[in-house]
Amino acid sequence: MAREHSPRRKALLTVAAWTAGLLIFFPILWTILTSFKTEAQAIADPPLFLNFDWTLENYAAVQERSDYMRFLWNSIVISGASTLLGVLIAVPAAWSMAFVPSKRTKDILLWMLSTKMLPAVGVLYPIYLIFIELGLLDTRAGLTVVIMLINLPIIVWMLYTYFREIPVDILEAARMDGADLRAEILYVLAPMALPGIASTVLLNVILAWNEAFWTLNLTAANAAPLTAFIASYSSPEGLFYAKLSAASTMAIAPILILGWFSQKQLVRGLTFGAVK
């Protein structure tokens, strides 16, 4: 039986949730507000919150200096392609771990997760040399593969968790009806795990979109995504906070909009199988 909370407790929980949400969102809000200030107002002391002269000159200057659409297109291609490739590899891998009994499954999953603990800088040099030899440096294809490999353990772990919640009897019934492995995955497993797959896709698009270390070290101009677009406004002459904020706002706006419209699906997928 679910516990009933008193009105006072509900109010306290609501206030605590809103407070935590505002604290997390405040840096983003401040960045957006700063993007509409002049450079002098951006460094004013005390800081100006809303009482400043709103201007769009920073966005005009950013667009004039940089080709925003090219950076945006690179981010879309790299994040979308790396996620799609990762899901295509992770679905059969997670299926085999979830439905083919093995004493080594947990060890394999733990080993995959342990690769996320490796400092990225520790493998930068060999990967950089491999990219030079293969001609993948500053290419979207090279970044797609690297980011896919970085996020693959997370994709496999999430899909494995969702697949484990699906009764194996349903898959056995499909096999008895003559379904081969391809049909079992495409027409039985995938539709039942669709909320989990969707949340996995959304989360990994966000992770790929925000990846900065590899994009800054393996690109120069041609394949540079929005993370490099933001970094280009940190110059030896100093930081131009208003223009940097405008560039940051333009970089995070697409993923914020995606997260806003897909939040229900993301929450539903992340809680998939948690309550029976």
Side-chain angles (χ1 to χ4, degrees), residues 103-262:
K103 296 181 180 179
R104 296 289 185 179
T105 297
K106 292 184 178 180
D107 294 334
I108 295 173
L109 287 169
L110 183 60
W111 170 77
M112 293 181 65
L113 190 62
S114 68
T115 61
K116 295 292 294 179
M117 305 175 190
L118 176 69
V121 70
V123 293
L124 173 61
Y125 188 63
I127 290 180
Y128 190 86
L129 293 179
I130 291 172
F131 268 47
I132 292 177
E133 289 294 326
L134 298 179
L136 294 176
L137 196 63
D138 198 20
T139 63
R140 289 195 290 259
L143 275 180
T144 296
V145 173
V146 167
I147 294 178
M148 181 274 294
L149 293 174
I150 292 171
N151 294 331
L152 188 60
I154 298 176
I155 303 177
V156 174
W157 259 90
M158 292 183 67
L159 292 181
Y160 169 79
T161 303
Y162 301 136
F163 290 173
R164 289 287 293 176
E165 299 297 330
I166 297 175
V168 69
D169 297 340
I170 297 177
L171 300 181
E172 291 177 351
R175 295 169 195 161
M176 292 179 65
D177 289 339
D180 57 9
L181 178 59
R182 176 177 174 275
E184 178 184 332
I185 293 177
L186 288 179
Y187 303 115
V188 181
L189 182 64
M192 295 185 66
L194 188 59
I197 295 175
S199 66
T200 301
V201 168
L202 290 171
L203 180 61
N204 282 273
V205 166
I206 294 171
L207 291 175
W209 190 279
N210 294 334
E211 176 59 42
F213 178 81
W214 293 105
T215 55
L216 293 177
N217 284 283
L218 298 179
T219 62
N222 296 328
L226 287 171
T227 48
F229 170 71
I230 297 174
S232 66
Y233 284 86
S234 176
S235 62
E237 292 81 8
L239 288 175
F240 299 94
Y241 290 104
K243 293 180 178 60
L244 180 59
S245 297
S248 299
T249 301
M250 294 170 70
I252 65 177
I255 206 68
L256 282 178
I257 295 172
L258 175 65
W260 177 264
F261 284 104
S262 60

